[in-house]
Amino acid sequence: MNKQAVTASIGFVGLGVMGKSLALNLADNGYTVAAFDLESHRVDAAIAQDRLEAPHLPQRIFGYSSYTELLSSLSTPRIIMVSVPAGDPVDQVCNQLIDAGIESEDIVVDTGNSLWTDTRDREKHYADRFIFFSTAVSGGEEGARFGPALMPSGDPVAWTRLRPVFEAISAKVDAATGLPIERNEPGNPVKEGEPCAAYIGDSGSGHYVKMVHNGIEYADMQLICEVYHVMRHAMAMTPSEIASVLREWNKGPLHSYLIEISAEVLDHKDQETGKPLVDIIMDKAGQKGTGLWTAVSALQIGAPAPTITNAVFARALSTLKEVRVAASKTLPGPKSGGITTDKEHMIEQLHDALYCAKICAYAQGFQLMQLAAKEHGWDLNFSSIAKIWRAGCIIRAVFLQPIADAFERNPQLDSLLMDPFFVEQLVRYQDNWRSVVAQAVLAGIPAGAISSALAYYDSYRTEVLPANLLQGQRDYFGAHTFARVDLNEGKYHVHWSEPGRPMRKV
């Protein structure tokens, strides 16, 4: 551990994968970092990497062996960033800092994937001891190192102190093109461009927005996987052929980080067998909870998010490997298992289906945030949120600029499906989308996310849904009442068990 006497500008607790990357990012942007981790070798590794990457500069990261030493090394009022697993570890760090003498004007920033309700509760709980703030971080290890998307929320006065820090370390977007300004080497931070960091709102709102980001991420990934599945198993295309298709798609409206890395994965060969790596990766998908949290929140609020929820279910279903293997030997699929459309036309249709389904997935995520904002009293700027996601984060894509534009045109927009630009896109491409869903079903290829997005679209554009029958059913067995389309006020109930089944206003 390096205990050289120094006055550091920012404290950092937790030097795991994300923490080390963020600490090095801070150092690149001119901040002296005082670092602490219960596993001291992590701090040593961060210092060693700092010296390796910037040997020509004065040391920028210093390690300390206790919270007391960490606090004494910082200029006051202090800023301490925390990167530890969500849940109890965050509170353990906060309580240790209290014991070490943290002061009321100091700011503790949770940069982990905490559940938004925990963040809100922590701000209240620690209010008398220090300022608890949070910033959700998206972009993985590389994003944290070279420029993540940041979604900060909490005390607005604390934000004024933190803003220069977050804007410095965040990803940047070219203002003219809306495209990311890439940086992938240490010691050379991007200074120009629009920062992918903006104040989200009151406590918890930043982590909520990040949660929805991850829910959209689940959907986006699943949609790509379903398109891959059709090409691989119904069209008998090789992984390399599919990678070439994705690279071509990445030149147009589907240009995104997820399309880019999907092509890389599909083109990669296993060094031991020489086979495509994707063919030897076990088809059991993991998850860390944020997609589940998004689905649960959508159900609690009553926001229709079937594509996001279906993506969570798809991961759960993938874990039933042994059951699926047994079922594959017992349950028959359709007699005709191929695609009837010619290859080139089918690839075009898959492109359009992915694009339309992606529009619906993002529409679901933004509508969920809109309903949550109303419920929790948040003043969310959806254009700003879309702009934050244009670089640094996992769902970064050229597609986000039209979303930002849509909410700039109409900040009160009820749904992306109602924006003129997206209306035009859906009208133009929906026939190919419908064809893909039909052909996937006929071929026995599961495409739950793509088809759920289409069902969402069709439900959204349907003036009269069968919920009228459903409400009649509820009234029959549970006296739940119903409204009438020909009368503006009141609830009604049919007394189903009485002679003549009379209807009365309740």
Side-chain angles (χ1 to χ4, degrees):
M1 279 288 195
N2 181 305
K3 296 186 180 181
Q4 178 181 337
V6 63
T7 300
S9 43
I10 293 178
F12 211 103
V13 176
L15 276 292
V17 172
M18 290 293 285
K20 181 175 77 170
S21 294
L22 284 170
L24 288 164
N25 191 347
L26 287 163
D28 274 353
N29 282 280
Y31 295 97
T32 306
V33 179
F36 172 81
D37 195 293
L38 291 174
E39 298 183 42
S40 60
H41 67 88
R42 291 181 172 178
V43 178
D44 294 337
I47 294 171
Q49 187 168 339
D50 171 46
R51 294 296 76 220
L52 178 66
E53 292 179 354
H56 57 293
L57 296 175
Q59 185 169 341
R60 308 176 300 175
I61 299 177
F62 297 85
Y64 296 88
S65 56
S66 72
Y67 287 100
T68 302
E69 288 183 354
L70 178 77
L71 291 181
S72 353
S73 73
L74 294 169
S75 57
T76 57
R78 305 176 183 94
I79 296 173
I80 304 104
M81 293 191 179
V82 179
S83 180
V84 297
D88 289 340
V90 179
D91 291 302
Q92 290 169 11
V93 170
C94 290
N95 289 321
Q96 290 288 340
L97 287 169
I98 290 171
D99 292 343
I102 196 169
E103 298 175 347
S104 61
E105 295 300 312
D106 296 340
I107 302 174
V108 175
V109 184
D110 178 15
T111 69
N113 263 339
S114 291
L115 182 60
W116 70 274
T117 50
D118 291 345
T119 299
R120 182 186 58 187
D121 293 343
R122 286 189 182 107
E123 182 178 301
K124 295 177 182 176
H125 180 73
Y126 296 115
D128 294 335
R129 311 307 295 269
F130 57 83
I131 301 168
F132 186 87
F133 198 85
S134 68
T135 185
V137 180
S138 180
E141 179 181 3
E142 182 180 355
R145 177 66 188 87
F146 299 114
L150 299 174
M151 289 147 268
S153 63
D155 187 297
V157 176
W159 165 243
T160 62
R161 289 171 54 192
L162 293 165
R163 181 173 181 171
V165 179
F166 291 163
E167 290 186 346
I169 69 172
S170 72
K172 306 296 188 300
V173 170
D174 185 297
T177 65
L179 296 176
I181 300 174
E182 299 295 340
R183 176 171 82 96
N184 54 13
E185 73 287 339
N188 184 28
V190 175
K191 298 295 186 181
E192 298 179 352
E194 295 180 357
C196 292
Y199 182 66
I200 300 297
D202 292 341
S203 178
S205 60
H207 270 131
Y208 190 93
V209 167
K210 172 64 188 323
M211 178 192 78
V212 176
H213 164 285
N214 284 23
I216 294 172
E217 177 186 312
Y218 272 53
D220 212 342
M221 294 172 72
Q222 181 63 27
L223 292 169
I224 295 170
C225 289
E226 290 178 3
V227 167
Y228 150 76
H229 199 179
V230 171
M231 287 192 274
R232 185 78 176 102
H233 296 282
M235 299 173 66
M237 294 173 64
T238 67
S240 289
E241 287 175 329
I242 301 169
S244 295
V245 170
L246 295 186
R247 289 195 176 101
E248 192 62 32
W249 288 359
N250 209 38
K251 299 175 184 177
L254 288 176
H255 175 76
S256 69
Y257 173 73
L258 285 172
I259 289 286
E260 177 186 336
I261 67 168
S262 298
E264 292 296 316
V265 171
L266 287 166
D267 229 3
H268 190 74
K269 296 290 193 297
D270 175 50
Q271 292 183 348
E272 294 185 9
T273 64
K275 296 179 180 179
L277 179 65
V278 71
D279 285 350
I280 60 173
I281 294 176
M282 178 66 72
D283 57 324
K284 295 170 68 173
Q287 54 180 309
K288 291 188 175 181
T290 47
L292 171 63
W293 296 347
T294 308
V296 169
S297 181
L299 291 166
Q300 289 173 332
I301 291 176
T307 309
I308 293 171
T309 304
N310 190 278
V312 178
F313 286 145
R315 294 198 188 191
L317 218 162
S318 77
T319 65
L320 305 178
K321 178 65 175 179
E322 294 76 15
V323 175
R324 290 188 290 110
V325 169
S328 70
K329 304 180 189 309
T330 305
L331 299 176
K335 293 180 180 179
S336 174
I339 297 295
T340 57
T341 306
D342 69 85
K343 180 179 176 181
E344 292 304 316
H345 186 44
M346 188 63 195
I347 289 173
E348 178 187 345
Q349 290 182 329
L350 286 166
H351 172 281
D352 296 350
L354 178 56
Y355 183 44
C356 291
K358 185 182 177 86
I359 292 172
C360 287
Y362 280 71
Q364 292 166 30
F366 275 87
Q367 190 171 60
L368 171 56
M369 289 189 287
Q370 287 173 313
L371 294 175
K374 290 179 183 177
E375 180 161 312
H376 303 297
W378 295 330
D379 183 18
L380 301 184
N381 184 324
F382 299 107
S383 179
S384 176
I385 290 169
K387 288 180 178 180
I388 290 171
W389 293 348
R390 291 176 300 172
C393 70
I394 302 302
I395 65 171
R396 59 185 182 267
V398 69
F399 176 80
L400 283 155
Q401 186 60 53
I403 294 178
D405 294 341
F407 283 107
E408 280 194 357
R409 283 191 292 270
N410 181 8
Q412 306 305 317
L413 184 65
D414 289 329
S415 170
L416 287 176
L417 301 189
M418 300 301 290
D419 176 75
F421 172 81
F422 290 110
V423 169
E424 193 273 335
Q425 301 301 296
L426 292 164
V427 168
R428 179 186 301 180
Y429 299 118
Q430 67 169 293
D431 286 348
N432 281 345
W433 184 16
R434 295 180 188 282
S435 179
V436 165
V437 170
Q439 294 209 56
V441 170
L442 291 173
I445 300 295
I450 293 175
S451 58
S452 73
L454 180 57
Y456 170 82
Y457 170 75
D458 281 337
S459 295
Y460 202 88
R461 67 174 190 82
T462 298
E463 183 178 356
V464 179
L465 288 169
N468 49 2
L469 173 58
L470 191 149
Q471 199 62 17
Q473 294 167 335
R474 294 182 72 240
D475 188 63
Y476 192 108
F477 65 70
H480 292 292
T481 75
F482 54 85
R484 292 176 58 108
V485 297
D486 55 347
L487 298 172
N488 293 328
E489 296 181 356
K491 297 291 183 180
Y492 295 84
H493 168 57
V494 172
H495 294 261
W496 299 96
S497 60
E498 295 183 15
R501 295 176 173 173
M503 181 179 64
R504 299 186 180 94
K505 187 175 182 179
V506 178

